């Protein structure tokens, strides 16, 4: 990661400093991300539809920031400039569709299961996106990391490349609630150790009672490159400087952005992005507010540098944990 001094310069040059200040000092909503200028624009009576100006501003902030960050001398300009471990990570998160000539960098907790479902339908391995079965995250999927260097280079150069991003704080809370509240495997593999490490007399825990603060303390002590993919920063998973993505979709505009991608890759018209399952419990603004405001402010501030590129590159405001906001 760039030094904090360099990062301050980047923020100032891209106009994000004001956004971050507002994110700390006033209530803000996660700003959505939108396609490139002219794509999916909606016109009303020949003029711009409400919100179009905000979309343009956010697009400009995101594009300027990515250019500023990725233009730094120390930043990688291809996957081959990455250290071996980082290169393995991004290549095994890039899914390939040779039939439709696209690469999708999947990010856990950003609707990646549904995108994998779509890839399987496009490849003929699955009959419909609505088939009710547990997602197998390995079979019937093609990973760029399994290919030879010349095959990798050709696809990176010639295929349509996209990712979907999400508010980093919301993504962490979603991972916490899902993995430690519902998945026994994660409770035993990570939960037991987290409680033992950060709680007095926590040796008898089954790992199903990890608090959000304990989870954040664990993330603070973890090396980014050794993190589980469900809470590893999006930057480290998908390396947006080393891979020049053609489109960055957002969780906040999931259906609209997904439809844009499906149209762009010329997917069959009968393929649509799946509806959320009835059992899915989304992270609401109120839920995020509750968890953040019941966590030590110092802990949140200390953790932010690990996720600062996700906040800045994808134009998300930093968490608002001021006393005034938390009293609401």
């Amino acid at each position: 990661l760039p030094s904090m001094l360099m990062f301050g310069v980047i923020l100032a040059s891209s106009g994000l400093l004001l956004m971050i200040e507002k994110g700390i000092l006033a209530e803000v909503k996660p700003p959505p991300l939108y396609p490139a200028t002219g794509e999916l624009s909606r016109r009303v009576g020949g003029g711009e539809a409400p919100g179009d100006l905000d979309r343009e501003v956010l697009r400009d902030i995101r594009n300027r920031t990515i250019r500023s960050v990725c233009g730094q001398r120390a930043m990688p300009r291809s996957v081959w400039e990455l250290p071996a471990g980082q290169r393995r990570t991004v290549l095994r998160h890039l899914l390939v569709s040779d039939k439709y000539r696209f690469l999708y960098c999947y990010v856990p907790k950003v609707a990646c299961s549904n995108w994998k479902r779509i890839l399987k339908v496009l490849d003929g391995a699955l009959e419909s996106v609505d088939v009710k079965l547990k997602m197998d995250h390995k079979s019937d999927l093609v990973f760029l990391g399994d290919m030879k260097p010349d095959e990798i280079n050709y696809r990176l150069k010639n295929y349509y490349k996209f990712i979907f991003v999400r508010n980093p704080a919301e993504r962490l809370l979603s991972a916490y609630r899902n993995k430690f509240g519902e998945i026994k495997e994660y409770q035993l593999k990570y939960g037991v150790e987290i409680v033992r490490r950060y709680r007095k007399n926590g040796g008898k825990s089954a790992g199903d009672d990890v608090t959000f603060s304990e989870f954040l303390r664990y993330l603070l002590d973890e090396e980014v490159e050794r993190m589980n993919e469900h809470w590893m920063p999006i930057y480290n998973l998908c390396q947006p400087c080393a891979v020049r993505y053609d489109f960055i979709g957002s969780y906040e505009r999931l259906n609209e952005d997904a439809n844009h991608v499906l149209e762009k890759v010329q997917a069959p018209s009968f393929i649509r992005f799946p509806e959320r399952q009835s059992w899915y419990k989304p992270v609401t603004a109120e839920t995020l507010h509750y968890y953040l405001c019941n966590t030590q402010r110092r802990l949140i501030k200390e953790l932010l540098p690990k996720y600062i590129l996700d906040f800045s590159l994808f134009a998300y405001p930093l968490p608002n944990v001021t006393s005034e906001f938390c009293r609401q």
Side-chain angles (χ1 to χ4, degrees):
L1 294 181
S3 68
M4 292 308 296
L5 178 60
M6 180 187 295
F7 184 68
V9 174
I10 293 170
L11 288 178
S13 66
S14 65
L16 272 174
L17 198 57
L18 181 59
M19 173 179 287
I20 285 182
E21 182 180 353
K22 289 182 178 179
I24 290 291
L25 299 179
E27 181 177 2
V28 293
K29 296 179 180 179
L33 303 176
Y34 296 85
T37 304
E39 296 175 348
L40 296 184
S41 62
R42 301 180 185 276
R43 302 290 176 176
V44 179
E48 291 188 350
D52 275 359
L53 180 59
D54 290 340
R55 299 173 189 180
E56 293 291 339
V57 170
L58 288 169
R59 271 199 299 271
D60 186 57
I61 289 174
R62 184 192 67 200
N63 292 336
R64 284 173 180 266
T65 309
I66 290 177
R67 284 198 301 268
S68 296
V69 172
C70 297
Q72 298 295 317
R73 179 177 296 181
M75 303 303 281
R77 285 166 173 76
S78 80
V79 296
W80 308 112
E81 294 183 15
L82 294 169
Q86 295 180 19
R87 182 166 61 250
R88 281 194 300 271
T89 295
V90 65
L91 290 180
R92 77 167 174 255
H93 281 83
L94 281 163
L95 294 171
V96 182
S97 173
D98 282 325
K99 184 176 181 180
Y100 291 91
R101 295 176 64 85
F102 70 76
L103 301 177
Y104 159 58
C105 187
Y106 79 86
V107 179
K109 308 312 298 178
V110 191
C112 75
S113 293
N114 279 341
W115 272 114
K116 290 176 180 177
R117 192 178 294 267
I118 286 178
L119 262 75
K120 293 187 179 191
V121 173
L122 289 174
D123 197 44
L126 199 62
E127 180 180 347
S128 166
V129 295
D130 297 319
V131 173
K132 305 296 182 184
L133 51 79
K134 184 178 180 181
M135 172 56 62
D136 186 325
H137 292 270
K138 298 296 181 183
S139 67
D140 300 316
L141 293 170
V142 180
F143 297 83
L144 192 62
D146 292 333
M147 297 184 173
K148 299 176 182 178
D150 59 332
E151 297 173 326
I152 292 172
N153 285 334
Y154 176 82
R155 287 159 178 78
L156 286 172
K157 181 178 180 180
N158 295 287
Y159 282 19
Y160 182 77
K161 300 173 287 295
F162 69 93
I163 61 174
F164 272 71
V165 299
R166 185 179 188 178
N167 182 305
E170 184 181 303
R171 177 174 171 250
L172 285 181
L173 179 54
S174 177
Y176 162 75
R177 294 206 307 170
N178 173 239
K179 300 308 175 187
F180 298 105
E182 303 171 2
I183 311 298
K184 191 73 173 178
E185 176 187 352
Y186 278 77
Q187 293 168 1
L188 295 176
K189 184 175 181 178
Y190 295 98
V192 171
E193 172 61 21
I194 289 174
V195 173
R196 185 196 64 77
R197 190 186 301 183
Y198 300 108
R199 189 187 306 173
K200 290 183 178 180
N201 303 319
K204 296 182 180 181
S205 171
D208 58 352
D209 59 344
V210 177
T211 68
F212 189 57
S213 292
E214 289 169 341
F215 175 57
L216 296 189
R217 289 183 65 187
Y218 167 73
L219 297 181
L220 186 61
D221 290 340
E222 275 287 280
E223 293 181 25
V224 169
E225 296 299 330
R226 297 172 63 87
M227 284 183 175
N228 180 279
E229 63 176 9
H230 289 84
W231 44 80
M232 182 182 284
I234 297 173
Y235 177 87
N236 298 82
L237 289 173
C238 294
Q239 296 289 343
C241 291
V243 179
R244 300 301 175 92
Y245 293 97
D246 298 290
F247 182 74
I248 300 175
S250 70
Y251 189 81
E252 294 75 28
R253 277 176 50 91
L254 185 56
N255 288 329
E256 297 95 326
D257 286 354
N259 287 335
H260 168 79
V261 170
L262 291 173
E263 181 178 344
K264 196 73 175 178
V265 301
Q266 298 183 333
S269 58
F270 69 87
I271 294 182
R272 54 176 176 76
F273 198 77
E275 298 290 333
R276 285 174 176 166
Q277 299 293 332
S278 58
W279 49 261
Y280 178 74
K281 298 177 182 178
V283 174
T284 64
E286 292 76 18
T287 306
L288 184 61
H289 176 275
Y290 172 82
Y291 275 92
L292 291 179
C293 288
N294 283 279
T295 302
Q296 286 183 324
R297 189 183 307 178
R298 175 192 59 79
L299 183 57
I300 294 173
K301 288 185 175 181
E302 288 179 355
L303 185 62
L304 284 179
K306 286 193 172 181
Y307 294 89
I308 200 68
L309 286 179
D310 284 3
F311 282 105
S312 63
L313 287 179
F314 309 125
Y316 287 108
L318 295 184
N320 187 348
V321 290
T322 60
S323 299
E324 179 181 355
F325 180 63
C326 287
R327 280 196 298 268
Q328 298 177 11

